[in-house]
Structures are given as C-alpha cells and as structure tokens.
C-alpha cells in the first residue's frame, strides 16, 4: 500500500487518523497574517523565529462504541508583543499541546464540547490545518503582555508634568455665586 501525501492547507483528518500518520513543519511567523498583526510595531513578525508545528492523527476504539477520530496538535514559537506597562516589545514563548476529537456533526460537537475537557469539532471534508494552528496560537497569546521587570524604569505620577490650569472660569463657580445671590 502506498503512503498518502498530506497537505496541511487541505488536510483529510479522517485519512490521517486512519493511517496513524503524522505531519510536521515550520512556517515563517509573518506568513500567519492574523498572528503577525499582533506584533509590537518595533518588532514585526518578519523578525520572529519560524513557528514549529506537528499534527498526529489517531483512531481510538472505545469499548462498546464507534471509532473516534483524534488529532494531536503541537506548536511552538516566539512572538514579540507590546508590553502593557512600558509599551516596549516583550518576547513571549508560546507552546501548544492539544488533543482535538472530531465527530460527525456540528450538533454532536456542541453537545460533547460542553461536557468534555478536550476540544470537539465537527469533522470537515478537508481541514485547513494552517488556520487551525494559527487559531490555537492566537488563543495562547497572553491577554496582557508585559515584562517581568521592564527594561526601563517607569515614570511615576509625581514625575509627570502638571498641566496648566485652564484660562476659562469654572462654570460651577458661577453657579455657586448665583445660588448665594451674588452676580456672576
């Protein structure tokens, strides 16, 4: 039997699992547009190291049930995001190790996903694994990226320049004068 060639952008997950096959590679970070859009302006994705990924399909046969299709996804890389404290680039390592179970319908996936710790998806005819990996990388990004200790000291409130008082009179001062019976 000749082995099949699998392409990540048009992956037959059922065949990958049936063959107990694996697929791996690396992509330039800049080729994943949505991930590249999260880059700090001073550290664009074109300067990031390549992202490593691997997929392994597996068929599991539970006792008394029908065969289950599983996909083991791993990915890792380093991204540069904007630190929310000092607004300088902060390098974050991202590592993903996830099992995904595939079922026949969206309704079945929704029902099982509620009760399961694993991700459950409806089995597509062809899966764009590149898009799935990018989705998982985006979900793994920190919500608030920041350095453990910022490279430059942060400005204290006391060090910030004080704004000059407005030349306009305070409208509430006029109102208070009117209430006291005086003129404005």
């Amino acid at each position: 039997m000749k082995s099949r060639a699998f392409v990540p952008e048009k992956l037959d997950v059922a065949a990958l699992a049936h063959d107990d096959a694996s697929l791996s590679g690396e992509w330039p970070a800049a080729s994943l547009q949505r991930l590249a859009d999260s880059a700090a302006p001073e550290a664009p994705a074109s300067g990031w190291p390549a992202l490593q990924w691997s997929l392994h399909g597996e068929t599991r046969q539970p006792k008394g049930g029908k065969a289950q299709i599983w996909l083991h996804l791993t990915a890792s890389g380093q991204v540069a995001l904007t630190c929310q404290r000092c607004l300088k680039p902060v390098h974050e390592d991202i590592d993903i190790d996830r099992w995904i179970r595939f079922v026949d319908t969206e309704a079945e996936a929704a029902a099982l996903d509620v009760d399961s710790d694993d991700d459950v998806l409806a089995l597509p005819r062809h899966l764009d694994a590149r898009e799935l990996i990018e989705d998982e990388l985006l979900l793994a990004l920190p919500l608030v990226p920041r350095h453990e200790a910022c490279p430059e000291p942060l400005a204290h409130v006391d060090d910030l320049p004080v704004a000059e008082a407005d030349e306009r009179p305070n409208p509430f001062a006029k109102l208070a004068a009117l209430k006291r019976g005086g003129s404005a």
Side-chain angles (χ1 to χ4, degrees):
M1 179 176 143
K2 111 179 178 184
S3 69
R4 299 180 226 206
F6 296 103
V7 179
E9 290 81 7
K10 196 174 181 182
L11 184 63
D12 184 346
V13 178
L16 187 78
H18 179 266
D19 291 356
D20 197 29
S22 295
L23 190 60
S24 63
E26 67 178 42
W27 293 315
S31 71
L32 301 176
Q33 188 59 50
R34 294 178 296 145
L35 183 65
D37 289 344
S38 67
E42 303 87 355
S46 59
W48 298 353
L51 300 165
Q52 310 293 320
W53 59 270
S54 71
L55 302 169
H56 177 76
E58 184 178 298
T59 302
R60 297 181 188 171
Q61 185 65 49
K63 290 184 180 184
K66 75 176 199 173
Q68 300 174 348
I69 296 172
W70 288 83
L71 182 69
H72 185 217
L73 180 152
T74 60
S76 62
Q78 187 182 73
V79 299
L81 308 171
T82 302
C83 174
Q84 297 301 298
R85 276 189 250 179
C86 68
L87 303 179
K88 302 286 184 207
V90 58
H91 296 277
E92 297 281 350
D93 291 321
I94 300 176
D95 291 306
I96 299 166
D97 188 349
R98 187 146 5 273
W99 281 96
I100 302 170
R101 179 178 170 196
F102 288 90
V103 295
D104 295 329
T105 65
E106 289 285 341
E108 186 180 358
L112 289 172
D113 197 33
V114 170
D115 298 328
S116 176
D117 290 338
D118 297 306
D119 293 327
V120 182
L121 298 174
L123 182 65
R125 180 179 173 103
H126 296 289
L127 174 73
D128 186 346
R130 185 182 193 95
E131 190 173 294
L132 177 66
I133 291 167
E134 185 176 20
D135 288 345
E136 294 297 332
L137 289 166
L138 287 167
L139 289 171
L141 291 177
L143 291 176
V144 181
R146 59 182 182 224
H147 296 101
E148 287 293 322
C150 290
E152 297 176 18
L154 301 176
H156 293 340
V157 175
D158 298 337
D159 299 339
L160 297 176
V162 178
E164 295 294 323
D166 266 341
E167 297 297 321
R168 296 177 293 166
N170 184 339
F172 296 107
K174 287 184 178 182
L175 182 59
L178 286 173
K179 285 178 91 175
R180 278 186 254 125
S183 64

